[in-house]
Amino acid sequence: MTVTLPASLESFVSQKIASGLYHNADEVVVESLGLMRQEERWKAVASAKIDEGLRDLEEGRVLTAEQSREEMAAFKQRWRAGA
């Protein structure tokens, strides 16, 4: 596969190679595409969680402000205790 990049991106790839982090353009592209794939997975998970939260809200599964504060306080206490 051959890819043609705009001059600004070609310069960016060259800078990454010059930094010593990558040996060639292929490594830069592979890393970039891996990050893009990771971002897509993150967006899918985040979208699903948002949808779940909206369903909970529509179905009345919500906490009062006081319940939320109590849960957060308990979470912090467990976290501080190292649990």
Side-chain angles (χ1 to χ4, degrees):
M1 174 184 292
T2 302
V3 177
T4 304
L5 299 174
S8 61
L9 289 179
E10 191 172 324
S11 174
F12 182 73
V13 170
S14 295
Q15 289 172 9
K16 292 297 178 185
I17 296 166
S19 75
L21 292 173
Y22 302 92
H23 294 100
N24 54 50
D26 290 345
E27 287 183 3
V28 176
V29 172
V30 168
E31 175 84 8
S32 299
L33 292 174
L35 291 170
M36 185 184 294
R37 182 179 285 159
Q38 185 178 21
E39 180 182 24
E40 285 178 356
R41 285 192 299 259
W42 181 89
K43 284 179 180 179
V45 169
S47 181
K49 293 219 178 257
I50 289 169
D51 290 343
E52 178 184 356
L54 291 172
R55 280 191 307 277
D56 285 346
L57 184 60
E58 288 171 357
E59 295 174 14
R61 290 188 300 264
V62 296
L63 298 175
T64 65
E66 183 59 32
Q67 289 169 321
S68 181
R69 280 190 289 276
E70 288 172 2
E71 281 197 13
M72 184 55 70
F75 173 83
K76 287 179 182 178
Q77 189 174 16
R78 287 190 308 273
W79 181 78
R80 288 182 180 130

